Amino acid sequence: MVVKPSSETTSERLFSVAPMLDCTDKHFRVLMRQITQNALLYSEMVVANALHHSKHRNQLLDFNKIEKPIALQLGGDNPALLSEAVKLGEEWGYNEINLNVGCPSKRVKAGNFGACLMANPDQVARCVEAMVISSQLPVTVKHRIGIDDLDSDDLLKQFVDIAIHAN
């Protein structure tokens, strides 16, 4: 979902190369860019908490200029840390920021982010609001159609409505 669009949002692209753990690293993205200039590429998910505490942010954020346009995908549930991470992404030269509310892994769930956040749309809205305020970049949210027993069309619409009206 596009929360804060730009003049060229992801919805205007024919396709994107979505983030995939241990797959969409710098080398893969450069290869994808050789195939097409028309796709939006995504970083692998970078955890906002890791960016906050890391002394090696360049290892988490670096990309090759030929990868552009590129979106920084963030994971987290803390609005302040996500706000900080968005500012770093903008300074680093990313074209878009994406909040991961779709990853179902047990490790991500243990950190209280990813797909489990779909059960708490108000928290997602707080995160999105902090992210939008922090940057001029477009902000998008990657989410699932539902989780566990929260998988009806009505619940998905409610989730999207809450998150998209956060700003």
Side-chain angles (χ1 to χ4, degrees):
M1 116 188 47
V2 177
V3 178
K4 179 181 178 183
S6 72
S7 59
E8 183 181 288
T9 64
T10 55
S11 62
E12 294 168 344
R13 297 189 178 280
L14 292 177
F15 67 97
S16 298
V17 178
M20 297 171 279
L21 184 63
D22 296 329
C23 183
T24 53
D25 62 11
K26 290 186 269 190
H27 309 291
F28 179 82
R29 293 188 309 260
V30 168
L31 176 63
M32 293 299 98
R33 188 54 73 218
Q34 300 303 311
I35 294 171
T36 182
Q37 295 293 310
N38 297 322
L40 176 66
L41 303 178
Y42 286 79
S43 70
E44 291 182 287
M45 181 177 60
V46 177
V47 179
N49 196 32
L51 277 176
H52 178 73
H53 294 289
S54 179
K55 295 177 182 174
H56 307 287
R57 288 181 178 154
N58 59 329
Q59 292 175 342
L60 297 171
L61 293 172
D62 269 353
F63 61 88
N64 189 310
K65 289 180 184 178
I66 67 169
E67 296 175 55
K68 291 186 103 177
I70 184 169
L72 171 62
Q73 186 183 78
L74 296 172
D77 69 337
N78 181 314
L81 292 180
L82 286 164
S83 173
E84 179 184 317
V86 166
K87 290 175 187 174
L88 288 169
E90 185 171 41
E91 290 170 10
W92 224 267
Y94 282 88
N95 301 94
E96 177 178 307
I97 304 295
N98 178 264
L99 178 63
N100 183 335
V101 185
C103 183
S105 84
K106 290 178 183 179
R107 184 174 174 196
V108 168
K109 185 177 180 179
N112 197 40
F113 56 96
C116 70
L117 279 177
M118 286 193 70
N120 192 349
D122 292 327
Q123 182 64 23
V124 173
R126 286 188 289 275
C127 292
V128 167
E129 181 177 31
M131 294 169 73
V132 166
I133 290 170
S134 298
S135 170
Q136 294 301 308
L137 293 177
V139 175
T140 60
V141 178
K142 178 185 102 173
H143 59 86
R144 302 177 85 70
I145 58 171
I147 57 165
D148 303 327
D149 294 332
L150 304 173
D151 64 352
S152 71
D153 290 344
D154 289 338
L155 288 172
L156 176 60
K157 183 181 180 317
Q158 179 184 0
F159 172 83
V160 170
D161 286 345
I162 290 169
I164 206 162
H165 292 103
N167 55 23

